[in-house]
Amino acid sequence: MSNASLSPLPSADRPDVTARLRDALLGASFTADGLLELLGAPAYAALSRSETVPALRATRGDTPLELLVRLFLLQQPVLHARVSGVLPVDACLESGWLVRAGDGEVAATVDVRPYGGPGGEDWFIVSDLGCAVGGAGGIGNRAEGVVLGVGGASMTLAGLTVRTPVSAALDLGTGSGIQALHAARHATRVTATDLNPRALHITALTLALSGAPAADLREGSLYESIEDDETYDLIVSNPPFVISPGARLTYRDGGMGGDDLCRSLVQQTGERLNEGGFAHFLANWQHVEGEDWTDRLRSWVPRGCDAWIVQREVQDVTQYAELWLRDAGDHRADAAEYQARYDAWLDEFETRKVKAVGFGWITLRRTGAAEPSITTEEWPHPIEQPLGETVRAHFDRVDYLRAHDDAALLEAHFTLAGEVVQEQVGLPGAEDPEHVVLRQNRGMRRATRVDTVGAGFAGVCDGTMSAGRILDAIAQLVGEDPVALRDRTPAQIRLLVEQGFLEPA
């Protein structure tokens, strides 16, 4: 399919009509909360799985909200006479939000999905037809140049972004504009780029319909449209990271070999960040035979940046190929064509000696430290979103530990982080546990094994006594040499601080 198969977009130069449309949508409770109340939790959840039948069944009436859900979210034509009391229909027809569909009906030219902002804002994400439901999977639109709605990846990136007030933010590969929309809440100036001019048009619609300030929209790949002297306090990107044999679909295929697009994006970011600025990326990376994936990712980190790289999932090459072939709907095509495409994916991986593909996130922070910190880890376990404050706190702890040697740690005061619990593991009836686990119920929800001294130390930390004095008291209690205990415990304290179990008082 080509760009010609995509429908014309509404005008981005009619703020009067967009404002009237926004008022009408809000007046009918066409919001995230209103949608959940109308559809019920099961039908609402089914939309995220690209299933529309439950929502269609729940919107068979003629209330204003039911009409709007069918029109803008479920792509169903509705009678002009029925919706004219809800929307400024003639103005929407004139500006291109609606078109006539025959038999006295009108149809939407784009999907509009209600989206609740982090501060309770009522936002609307505009996308191409077939792309609001289920995000990336949509309802089967595979047109080249298509602009997707909100998917799980978009929301993951929005949730892990550090949200502090900044002067300038950059959204690379903006798509439907969700990251730019979030950035507009706390950035004085937002720049959004995309290789696809259709995406820039839709981002303008998303921002306007959500009542957000306009962004500086620029066409180009990666940093092509950014001047050499332009720098930012925040950079975010959900790039077309799929590792594929070719660049068939703009929204997902980067057009570079292997994971070169993600590598290039990360490596070029260092010089674009202001001191203390953050960059957040979602990415895929190759697991190559004979190479440790952490070494591969560490080589991507630009000079002068701290980095935190988290691998959330790993798929073997067959699982990975099947996932993205299904995403494009290729499994519904001719069987021979599907097999040929599947074979092409496996040929690509075999040529590159790729045995699996990792997915996760990469966070950079510009630092003036002589020795930047790079943390790489695998964490496939559940986390608590939004994670932005946890990400910011991670880098604060990096600064603290970089500035404190073991002697300074023993002089410092600590408090136990909130919602940390202790679990003792051992045989039933045993006098002493085999080991003790500290577990977080917030943020990354980490668990770490400690010895009895570490558990006792963490339990006593309330900020009133220095770490050294606490260890002296524990040594006296257990009959151990206090000097030996002071020598061997700082490494455990450092780990507990690094992972967020202990906080400097």
Side-chain angles (χ1 to χ4, degrees):
M1 299 172 72
S2 66
N3 272 358
S5 66
L6 295 171
S7 63
L9 294 174
S11 170
D13 300 321
R14 291 294 306 272
D16 56 326
V17 177
T18 305
R20 290 174 64 193
L21 176 58
R22 173 175 170 79
D23 288 343
L25 297 178
L26 294 177
S29 296
F30 186 65
T31 63
D33 289 342
L35 201 62
L36 178 59
E37 185 175 348
L38 170 69
L39 301 181
Y44 188 80
L47 289 177
S48 68
R49 303 190 300 270
S50 303
E51 298 292 349
T52 58
V53 172
L56 286 167
R57 290 173 61 86
T59 55
R60 289 181 289 197
D62 281 330
T63 66
L65 181 54
E66 287 170 300
L67 291 170
L68 292 179
V69 171
R70 288 208 302 276
L71 184 63
F72 284 117
L73 198 59
L74 302 177
Q75 303 175 53
Q76 302 298 305
V78 299
L79 286 171
H80 183 299
R82 286 182 180 166
V83 79
S84 60
V86 181
L87 293 175
V89 175
D90 291 339
C92 287
L93 285 167
E94 180 191 343
S95 60
W97 286 95
L98 301 175
V99 292
R100 299 189 186 278
D103 296 328
E105 292 180 321
V106 293
T109 56
V110 288
D111 282 351
V112 178
R113 174 172 170 174
Y115 181 80
E121 300 92 346
D122 288 315
W123 289 340
F124 301 99
I125 310 299
V126 180
S127 61
D128 270 314
L129 292 174
C131 295
V133 172
I139 318 175
N141 194 328
R142 298 192 296 115
E144 171 62 21
V146 69
V147 179
L148 302 178
V150 182
S154 302
M155 291 188 283
T156 294
L157 179 59
L160 65 88
T161 299
V162 173
R163 300 294 177 191
T164 51
V166 296
S167 295
L170 172 63
D171 176 13
L172 284 173
T174 188
S176 58
I178 179 175
Q179 309 304 330
L181 185 56
H182 276 276
R185 295 183 71 245
H186 61 103
T188 304
R189 176 171 57 88
V190 176
T191 301
T193 74
D194 207 288
L195 181 64
N196 182 3
R198 188 175 182 87
L200 298 176
H201 190 133
I202 283 181
T203 291
L205 297 175
T206 289
L207 293 171
L209 194 58
S210 298
D216 177 6
L217 303 175
R218 305 186 192 179
E219 184 179 343
S221 177
L222 300 183
Y223 288 103
E224 278 181 359
S225 60
I226 305 302
E227 299 295 331
D228 290 343
D229 60 348
E230 289 183 287
T231 57
Y232 297 86
D233 308 298
L234 174 67
I235 299 174
V236 293
S237 184
N238 177 17
F241 52 64
V242 177
I243 299 170
S244 61
R248 189 158 60 101
L249 298 174
T250 304
Y251 72 83
R252 68 166 206 197
D253 303 319
M256 298 186 189
D259 51 17
D260 283 355
L261 182 131
C262 290
R263 176 185 55 79
S264 298
L265 175 60
V266 174
Q267 288 180 336
Q268 293 174 25
T269 294
E271 61 194 33
R272 303 294 184 177
L273 274 178
N274 293 325
E275 183 77 19
F278 284 94
H280 304 274
F281 309 113
L282 299 186
N284 278 186
W285 44 81
Q286 299 172 152
H287 284 229
V288 179
E289 290 178 21
E291 177 186 80
D292 190 315
W293 73 269
T294 62
D295 292 338
R296 184 179 194 84
L297 271 292
R298 291 173 75 89
S299 74
W300 292 7
V301 178
R303 294 180 62 185
C305 287
D306 292 327
W308 185 18
I309 300 166
V310 182
Q311 181 166 271
R312 295 287 289 155
E313 185 180 359
V314 181
Q315 291 186 325
D316 68 47
V317 293
T318 60
Q319 292 173 310
Y320 189 80
E322 290 162 15
L323 169 68
W324 294 108
L325 288 167
R326 286 181 174 274
D327 172 80
D330 290 328
H331 62 300
R332 295 191 292 267
D334 174 72
E337 184 180 347
Y338 172 75
Q339 289 180 348
R341 284 189 171 149
Y342 197 153
D343 210 34
W345 283 67
L346 297 185
D347 278 345
E348 175 81 4
F349 289 131
E350 186 176 329
T351 299
R352 295 180 173 275
K353 297 183 178 180
V354 175
K355 58 185 179 179
V357 177
F359 170 83
W361 67 67
I362 299 171
T363 298
L364 305 177
R365 183 191 58 168
R366 188 77 185 177
T367 179
E371 294 186 19
S373 163
I374 302 177
T375 302
T376 58
E377 62 177 315
E378 188 157 10
W379 192 255
H381 313 294
I383 60 171
E384 179 191 44
Q385 282 277 34
L387 204 65
E389 185 58 27
T390 298
V391 173
R392 186 196 60 76
H394 166 88
F395 288 94
D396 286 348
R397 294 193 299 270
V398 166
D399 286 341
Y400 179 86
L401 292 172
R402 193 156 42 200
H404 289 73
D405 60 16
D406 288 355
L409 282 184
L410 292 174
E411 293 297 318
H413 295 237
F414 300 97
T415 58
L416 186 65
E419 296 197 37
V420 172
V421 297
Q422 175 179 305
E423 299 173 1
Q424 297 188 170
V425 181
L427 293 173
E431 185 173 339
D432 296 313
E434 291 178 15
H435 59 262
V436 178
V437 173
L438 299 183
R439 188 179 300 279
Q440 301 168 350
N441 287 316
R442 302 297 304 274
M444 292 292 285
R445 293 178 172 159
R446 295 188 186 280
T448 192
R449 184 185 297 193
V450 293
D451 59 22
T452 52
V453 170
F457 177 87
V460 175
C461 283
D462 62 3
T464 59
M465 295 172 61
S466 70
R469 287 187 60 196
I470 293 174
L471 290 179
D472 291 343
I474 292 175
Q476 187 174 6
L477 191 64
V478 301
E480 189 169 339
D481 178 8
V483 175
L485 196 60
R486 278 175 171 253
D487 282 346
R488 70 177 174 84
T489 308
Q492 194 166 192
I493 297 173
R494 191 172 290 275
L495 178 66
L496 291 174
V497 173
E498 180 184 319
Q499 296 193 344
F501 288 93
L502 293 179
E503 299 173 347

